[in-house]
Amino acid sequence: MQIKHAYTVVTSPGRNFVTLKIVTDEGVYGIGDATLNGRELAVNAYLEEHVIPCLIGRDPRNIEDIWQYLYRGAYWRRGPVTMTAIAAVDMALWDIKGKLAGMPVHQLLGGRSRDGVMVYGHANGRDHGEAIEAVGRYIEMGYKAIRVQSGVPGLDKAYGVGKGDLYYEPADKGLPDEEVWDTPLYLRHTPELFRKVRDAYGYDHHLLHDGHHRMTPIEAARLGRDLEPFRLFWLEDATPAENQEAFRLIRSHTTTPLAVGEIFSSLWDCKDLIQNQLIDYIRATIVHAGGITHLRRIADFAALHQVRTGCHGATDLSPVSMAAAVNFGLWVPNFGIQEYMRHTEATDEVFPHNYRFVNGFMEMDEVPGLGVDLDETKAARYPYQRAYLPVARLRDGTVWNW
Ligand code: CS2
Ligand code: MG
């Protein structure tokens, strides 16, 4: 069996997605998500110019050999563009292998460790009142875990406050939007938000919060300690994690569980965090951390250190990634939680899939491969438009972490 041809499809049903399709000489095909928010065409070019020519003629069943070839053979290793491109190839090859075997990918990995994958939703609002009302709506929808984000009095914008209720998309067409950030204001108001949520709904639901890289380590330590009475499931991206050691300071001050890693692209980005138990959940994803083949290694390493998975699952990860993530989440023994930001109806039509939300969990049937497809006719209706994530500045104009 050989890879006969491969190509990418760029489509934008509300936001940009890049999908790789690999077709074998026996007509079986697989798809992989190659979306990197704000840098979509960089990955597309990497695939078209540097990866796809090397795939033609290879045996698609040799997933590991192709992974090693694309990782070691590139010379220039790691990084979000490279590892997202490798991830797309890897997802597509696992999809093909499942179809050939007549089994879903979670069966190929080792079968089901659970019947459903617990997911968390995203309650948010421009102020505490709106955010608290949104939490109530997510409880009514059956979510067992809910991320809570709200505006900060005195700031025009804050991370995680969507334009509508269900669909959160931070990227905007045109050049990057610039937003002012003020951490002291945020630190003053956030504990109050969670006190109000707990007062309103009690402690029967997991609450999560995303600091989105904006605090210094000592500021993150302060927030972690202030949130302790509200028993969060996790505080995410408390501080930028290029310096993995920074989490040692946060860890020494608070028992609030810590999650990090949605922007990591390999095990090397999180090895110290995990082996020193500086975090509780690793957020690396199949689409940005080299695919199922590499995320499995990260998860196994994390399991040795009692760290659980908490994979990223925002709207800028396509339904192809979500289908792969549900397969992975059904299997992985040290599962923690899976993020689930609902896609738009248009996106779901472009990417028909088998996973479904059932009372706080994601479930899927025993369908061969990943359990997702790409409708290329519908995809062609939505042309690409360059879009950027925002840029943050502090009040004095200093560029900050968005
Ligand atoms: C966020 C994301 O879902 C999350 O935890 O950090 O919304 C993130 O801002 C986007 O994926 C960036 O593209
Ligand atoms: Mg996040």
Side-chain angles (χ1 to χ4, degrees):
M1 173 174 274
Q2 290 189 345
I3 293 171
K4 183 180 165 191
H5 72 111
Y7 58 95
T8 59
V9 174
V10 182
T11 181
S12 188
R15 58 144 297 105
N16 297 316
F17 294 110
V18 181
T19 307
L20 172 69
K21 188 164 185 174
I22 295 177
V23 187
T24 71
D25 56 358
E26 295 181 9
V28 178
Y29 68 86
I31 59 175
D33 187 10
T35 306
L36 184 63
N37 201 353
R39 296 297 182 270
E40 290 86 356
L41 294 197
V43 180
N44 192 58
Y46 192 97
L47 284 165
E48 284 187 334
E49 186 61 23
H50 305 298
V51 171
I52 288 172
C54 301
L55 293 178
I56 308 306
R58 291 184 185 276
D59 185 332
R61 296 169 295 185
N62 297 334
I63 300 176
E64 188 67 54
D65 183 66
I66 290 172
W67 195 97
Q68 297 295 334
Y69 179 90
L70 295 178
Y71 180 79
R72 297 174 188 278
Y75 189 75
W76 312 105
R77 298 179 181 187
R78 299 162 62 195
V81 172
T82 300
M83 299 306 281
T84 299
I86 292 176
V89 174
D90 191 73
M91 271 184 255
L93 297 180
W94 278 99
D95 194 19
I96 288 168
K97 191 174 274 287
K99 290 174 180 176
L100 292 175
M103 285 194 277
V105 168
H106 59 264
Q107 292 299 348
L108 299 181
L109 289 169
R112 287 173 179 249
S113 304
R114 54 197 62 79
D115 293 328
V117 170
M118 183 171 73
V119 292
Y120 69 88
H122 300 70
N124 63 82
R126 290 167 297 180
D127 56 33
H128 290 182
E130 282 188 8
I132 291 163
E133 278 176 21
V135 171
R137 285 197 295 279
Y138 274 84
I139 290 173
E140 283 165 18
M141 284 188 272
Y143 283 84
K144 309 298 185 253
I146 301 159
R147 188 185 83 171
V148 187
Q149 308 285 142
S150 89
V152 175
L155 286 179
D156 289 341
K157 292 193 176 178
Y159 165 71
V161 180
K163 297 160 188 128
D165 183 34
L166 272 183
Y167 307 116
Y168 173 67
E169 174 48 61
D172 283 317
K173 306 287 192 278
L175 293 176
D177 185 29
E178 296 204 355
E179 302 178 358
V180 174
W181 180 250
D182 182 320
T183 305
L185 267 183
Y186 164 74
L187 293 178
R188 198 183 315 159
H189 288 282
T190 301
E192 182 64 7
L193 168 64
F194 284 90
R195 183 189 62 73
K196 290 174 184 173
V197 174
R198 285 304 192 198
D199 286 350
Y201 302 111
Y203 285 74
D204 292 340
H205 294 83
H206 298 302
L207 297 183
L208 303 88
H209 184 66
D210 192 345
H212 219 263
H213 321 277
R214 299 184 182 198
M215 294 175 274
T216 62
I218 198 63
E219 290 168 341
R222 153 66 58 223
L223 182 60
R225 184 173 291 181
D226 288 350
L227 291 173
E228 285 177 8
F230 314 119
R231 299 288 187 273
L232 262 61
F233 185 89
W234 80 32
L235 172 61
E236 173 187 341
D237 281 335
T239 197
E242 293 99 323
N243 173 16
Q244 298 181 47
E245 264 305 299
F247 278 76
R248 194 179 300 280
L249 185 147
I250 304 168
R251 201 54 149 188
S252 68
H253 287 283
T254 181
T255 57
T256 293
L258 300 173
V260 73
E262 68 184 48
I263 66 169
F264 290 170
S265 66
S266 86
L267 175 53
W268 302 105
D269 295 328
C270 49
K271 181 175 79 66
D272 300 342
L273 286 165
I274 291 171
Q275 69 188 13
N276 297 312
Q277 293 180 318
L278 302 183
I279 58 173
D280 303 281
Y281 298 93
I282 181 63
R283 297 233 331 119
T285 65
I286 289 169
V287 61
H288 298 132
I292 292 166
T293 298
H294 194 59
L295 190 67
R296 184 166 60 167
R297 296 201 157 95
I298 293 174
D300 285 345
F301 184 73
L304 297 179
H305 303 282
Q306 294 179 287
V307 174
R308 288 181 282 180
T309 64
C311 299
H312 186 207
T315 45
D316 45 288
L317 284 67
S318 87
V320 180
S321 277
M322 183 49 69
V326 174
N327 275 285
F328 195 88
L330 285 171
W331 158 75
V332 68
N334 53 320
F335 174 78
I337 198 167
Q338 170 64 47
E339 178 173 10
Y340 173 50
M341 274 190 194
R342 292 167 184 257
H343 289 105
T344 62
E345 284 78 12
T347 298
D348 287 342
E349 284 176 15
V350 171
F351 297 97
H353 51 265
N354 180 265
Y355 63 80
R356 57 190 172 276
F357 177 81
V358 179
N359 200 26
F361 292 77
M362 204 62 85
E363 297 181 358
M364 115 183 315
D365 302 321
E366 296 289 294
V367 294
L370 293 176
V372 63
D373 206 344
L374 169 66
D375 182 323
E376 295 184 55
T377 305
K378 289 179 178 165
R381 294 177 192 159
Y382 305 102
Y384 167 81
Q385 282 184 281
R386 186 172 58 210
Y388 286 92
L389 286 169
V391 171
R393 289 183 183 272
L394 300 179
R395 289 195 188 279
D396 70 356
T398 306
V399 174
W400 200 241
N401 311 300
W402 176 74

